[in-house]
Amino acid sequence: MGQGDRAVLYDIVVSEPAPLGRVPDNTSEKRHWVRDASGQGEIKRFVNPWESSYDFSFPEIFKSMVRHKFLSGDSQRPDTSPPTVPVTKPDLSTSRTGSQALRTTWLGHACHLVEFPSGLRVLFDPIAEIPIIDCVVISHSHYDHLSYPTVLEIHKHHPSAQFCVPKGLKKWFTESGIERVVELDWWEDVEIALTLSNKETSSETSEPGPSNPSITGIISCLPCQHTSARTPFDKSHTLWASWSVSSGGKSVYFAGDTGYRAVPLVPKGVDDWGSDFDHLPICPAFKEIGELRGPFDLGLIPIGAYKPRHVLSSVHSNPYDSVEIFKDTKCKKALAIHWGTWAVAEENVLEPPQLLRKALIRSQLPETGVFDICDIGETREF
């Protein structure tokens, strides 16, 4: 992890998952669970319980992609030619500054390191080298959000780090040799408390720590519209989630990987956010999140991997969807994630930020300063 000769030692206490904040009235119905034939036994898989979602089977996805690539004439290879997204070396301090600002660093794709005023450091969907990690939050099991080698490296160099994962995913971690993991269902929360020891495996360096060595926070598992799988045979066997973390008087909403509406195949160049498509259902979970758990100081919201639209819209947001998620969840500011790192869909690498500006204008929001993009490795304070 770039800091292989040292590891910060501390004690972490995590409460049992339970709703600690307001939840929707129908939460107890667990409509996103699919049980065995009795309806009361083991959870067999998970679903998106909204009209805004369409659950493609693997054969349907295959047929749709074949038709799109070879018959429609609309298929394209994403333009990845330089210049693309600027990459800078991140400024990752080995000390907890105790700043009153919320500090976040984009490390590519959906990975953000967030440093709270309390000193708590939370890493979302890791793909990078970090000097100090207290907590790792995973949105779902897809490979671009849950990397097995990366998780093993984190565990090796940060053995005290706490992993928070969606329901059903704990087994994957324990089978990987990681025991410090808690799994949560939608609308469940855990309280996390760190007591720093100010001892490290290397005697050459020391971490001063904050003035108060006790650090606390609340981590909340929240809904989103997506799916999960690591093979063709385990689709939706584990849950997917968005998350919020609050600590030191600041809060962050991490949307993870999500769709907003299921859009049908429309002619090329047709605006699927036009009035002809007002009837399409939108995912209601984001307004519930905003009303019950918002507002948030910062949202980390995906804007990429959305083409072909009729195949991916149910699980991936385009920038117009993303702005609606931003408004629904009542985020004060937002940074764009899930773009510019890997070409996982057909849109050109730099198309998402271009469309984001247009989407902000359409919603009568400022083009800059509210929902922004940043360079890979760049740090922003809020």
Side-chain angles (χ1 to χ4, degrees):
M1 300 298 293
Q3 303 287 332
D5 59 340
R6 45 192 306 272
V8 178
L9 301 179
Y10 44 74
D11 294 323
I12 293 182
V13 177
V14 177
S15 67
E16 288 295 320
L20 299 177
R22 292 191 297 160
V23 301
D25 293 338
N26 63 355
T27 299
S28 62
E29 297 176 11
K30 302 296 184 185
R31 294 190 299 133
H32 58 296
W33 292 9
V34 177
R35 295 185 183 271
D36 60 17
S38 71
Q40 300 296 324
E42 179 184 357
I43 301 171
K44 307 300 291 185
R45 62 188 181 92
F46 299 91
V47 296
N48 294 297
W50 310 292
E51 293 181 354
S52 58
S53 174
Y54 181 80
D55 186 16
F56 279 95
S57 66
F58 278 110
E60 285 178 313
I61 292 175
F62 179 78
K63 289 179 182 179
S64 295
M65 292 305 295
V66 168
R67 188 180 301 114
H68 174 68
K69 285 183 176 294
F70 299 108
L71 299 178
S72 72
D74 293 336
S75 179
Q76 68 174 39
R77 285 183 175 272
D79 182 3
T80 60
S81 57
T84 54
V85 184
V87 179
T88 61
K89 185 177 180 179
D91 177 20
L92 302 178
S93 172
T94 59
S95 65
R96 303 176 195 267
T97 62
S99 167
Q100 294 304 303
L102 182 70
R103 193 171 186 265
T104 185
T105 304
W106 187 37
L107 298 169
H109 202 52
C111 181
H112 260 269
L113 174 67
V114 179
E115 301 169 83
F116 290 85
S118 64
L120 181 68
R121 291 188 174 193
V122 178
L123 184 65
F124 294 97
D125 287 3
I127 57 171
E129 298 181 352
I130 311 295
I132 299 174
I133 301 172
D134 301 321
C135 183
V136 180
V137 173
I138 303 295
S139 65
H140 65 294
S141 67
H142 285 158
Y143 283 84
D144 57 329
H145 295 256
L146 178 56
S147 163
Y148 179 70
T150 301
V151 165
L152 291 187
E153 282 291 296
I154 289 173
H155 179 60
K156 176 182 177 181
H157 296 287
H158 307 271
S160 297
Q162 175 70 46
F163 286 82
C164 294
V165 304
K167 191 172 183 65
L169 200 50
K170 180 178 180 177
K171 180 181 177 182
W172 184 92
F173 281 84
T174 56
E175 290 179 347
S176 302
I178 299 172
E179 298 293 335
R180 194 182 286 273
V181 56
V182 58
E183 66 177 23
L184 290 82
D185 198 2
W186 290 348
W187 300 106
E188 288 185 335
D189 315 88
V190 291
E191 292 181 292
I192 184 170
L194 285 68
T195 302
L196 302 184
S197 66
N198 289 326
K199 295 179 180 179
E200 299 179 25
T201 56
S202 171
S203 60
E204 297 178 1
T205 59
S206 62
E207 180 190 321
S211 57
N212 183 351
S214 179
I215 297 173
T216 62
I218 294 179
I219 300 174
S220 305
C221 181
L222 300 168
C224 68
Q225 182 172 294
H226 199 57
T227 185
S228 66
R230 291 187 73 82
T231 75
F233 310 105
D234 66 346
K235 184 172 184 286
S236 302
H237 286 194
T238 62
L239 188 58
W240 47 95
S242 64
W243 296 81
S244 71
V245 181
S246 59
S247 183
K250 295 286 187 177
S251 59
V252 170
Y253 174 67
F254 175 69
D257 199 352
T258 187
Y260 190 67
R261 304 181 304 156
V263 177
L265 180 62
V266 300
K268 187 175 182 179
V270 172
D271 178 11
D272 62 58
W273 269 103
S275 57
D276 290 344
F277 299 93
D278 285 346
H279 65 284
L280 294 180
I282 63 172
C283 181
F286 300 104
K287 283 192 176 180
E288 290 181 331
I289 290 169
E291 291 168 359
L292 298 173
R293 298 300 183 92
F296 302 98
D297 294 293
L298 176 66
L300 303 174
I301 299 176
I303 66 168
Y306 49 79
K307 284 185 176 179
R309 181 81 161 138
H310 68 287
V311 176
L312 294 176
S313 60
S314 182
V315 292
H316 286 167
S317 301
N318 79 358
Y320 291 92
D321 304 327
S322 306
V323 170
E324 296 305 310
I325 292 172
F326 167 73
K327 294 187 296 185
D328 285 355
T329 53
K330 298 184 180 180
C331 294
K332 298 175 183 177
K333 299 288 181 69
L335 290 175
I337 62 171
H338 205 266
W339 74 281
T341 307
W342 296 308
V344 297
E346 290 189 353
E347 75 268 9
N348 295 333
V349 172
L350 294 180
E351 182 180 287
Q354 295 166 358
L355 290 187
L356 178 60
R357 286 192 290 271
K358 294 179 180 179
L360 290 167
I361 292 171
R362 173 175 287 185
S363 287
Q364 298 182 334
L365 293 170
E367 292 183 58
T368 59
V370 174
F371 190 160
D372 287 335
I373 62 169
C374 63
D375 298 344
I376 296 174
E378 182 180 353
T379 298
R380 298 281 184 96
E381 289 192 351
F382 298 88

